[in-house]
Amino acid sequence: MSGSEQRTARPTYLLVDGENIDATLGMNVLGHRPAPEERPRWDRISEFAQTLWGQPVTPLFFLNASSGQMPMPFVQALLAMGYRPIPLAGASHEKVVDIGIQRTLEAIKDVDGDVLLASHDGDFLPQVEALLDGERRVGLMCFREFVNGRLNELSARGLEFFDLEETVGAFTTPLPRVRIIPIEEFDPLRYI
């Protein structure tokens, strides 16, 4: 079959900034380094990405391997969940995970596909803004109250936000978050 006879489904590219999610969870939500049971369930995140727009997902998990070491048990767990770990290395002053994600977002601009980025980081603002072309869906998986303000402004241009706890369901226990709750989402049973 030729390419025109066999059409593949439009993909969703899931890019995970694991460092940013872990740091935001630890510093801003929990106030301590997250224990394993407090961390997100990465399988739930990729499952959410698959069902969100009903498309196949290419899940990419960016890791800083500048020390020359990789957390092999974690890498193997990611592989078992269908993620493609991307361990990057560079000089100590380089934000290798951010650079890798920026380059990947720039490359996606030239291919067909939608994007979900798991991060709060404003370093991706130019790349996310460039993807908001009216042709593709672009979403941010995050704790909405900690998203960079300039990224928040992109909601008017079509950037969608998916709360990691409330919408994605990435955690097994409720987090101790203090955030503005839209009244239609308020569940008093969570507090009593």
Side-chain angles (χ1 to χ4, degrees):
M1 266 189 229
S2 72
S4 60
E5 293 171 339
Q6 181 181 5
R7 186 156 201 280
T8 58
R10 178 184 181 105
T12 296
Y13 297 101
L14 169 60
L15 284 67
V16 177
D17 182 352
E19 286 181 327
N20 179 271
I21 297 299
D22 201 55
T24 302
L25 175 63
M27 289 189 294
N28 299 98
V29 177
L30 299 172
H32 62 268
R33 183 180 175 91
E37 66 275 6
E38 295 174 311
R39 288 200 159 94
R41 295 281 312 272
W42 301 110
D43 55 333
R44 291 183 184 180
I45 291 172
S46 62
E47 288 165 10
F48 176 85
Q50 179 124 14
T51 59
L52 178 64
W53 295 318
Q55 301 173 162
V57 173
T58 301
L60 307 174
F61 199 106
F62 294 80
L63 300 158
N64 187 337
S66 294
S67 69
Q69 301 294 315
M70 281 194 299
M72 286 314 294
F74 182 61
V75 167
Q76 290 178 348
L78 288 172
L79 288 167
M81 289 182 273
Y83 279 87
R84 183 153 194 197
I86 303 178
L88 301 169
S92 61
H93 68 277
E94 291 179 300
K95 296 167 76 174
V96 294
V97 168
D98 288 4
I99 293 167
I101 292 173
Q102 288 167 335
R103 288 182 183 174
T104 305
L105 290 170
E106 289 165 359
I108 291 170
K109 175 101 174 82
D110 297 327
V111 298
D112 186 37
D114 298 318
V115 178
L116 284 170
L117 172 63
S119 184
H120 303 85
D121 199 336
D123 288 346
F124 308 123
L125 181 69
Q127 292 81 17
V128 169
E129 194 168 18
L131 289 169
L132 294 170
D133 57 9
E135 299 294 317
R136 73 180 82 233
R137 293 173 284 204
V138 182
L140 199 64
M141 292 180 171
C142 57
F143 299 114
R144 184 69 190 261
E145 65 270 29
F146 299 115
V147 170
N148 174 279
R150 300 269 320 275
L151 283 171
N152 268 323
E153 294 170 9
L154 293 179
S155 65
R157 297 235 350 250
L159 181 61
E160 296 180 63
F161 294 87
F162 304 98
D163 187 275
L164 283 165
E165 182 181 21
E166 300 294 328
T167 310
V168 178
F171 296 89
T172 55
T173 59
L175 296 174
R177 293 167 67 191
V178 177
R179 64 183 186 93
I180 298 170
I181 305 165
I183 193 63
E184 63 271 7
E185 296 175 17
F186 176 64
D187 177 7
L189 294 176
R190 185 172 176 185
Y191 300 94
I192 56 176

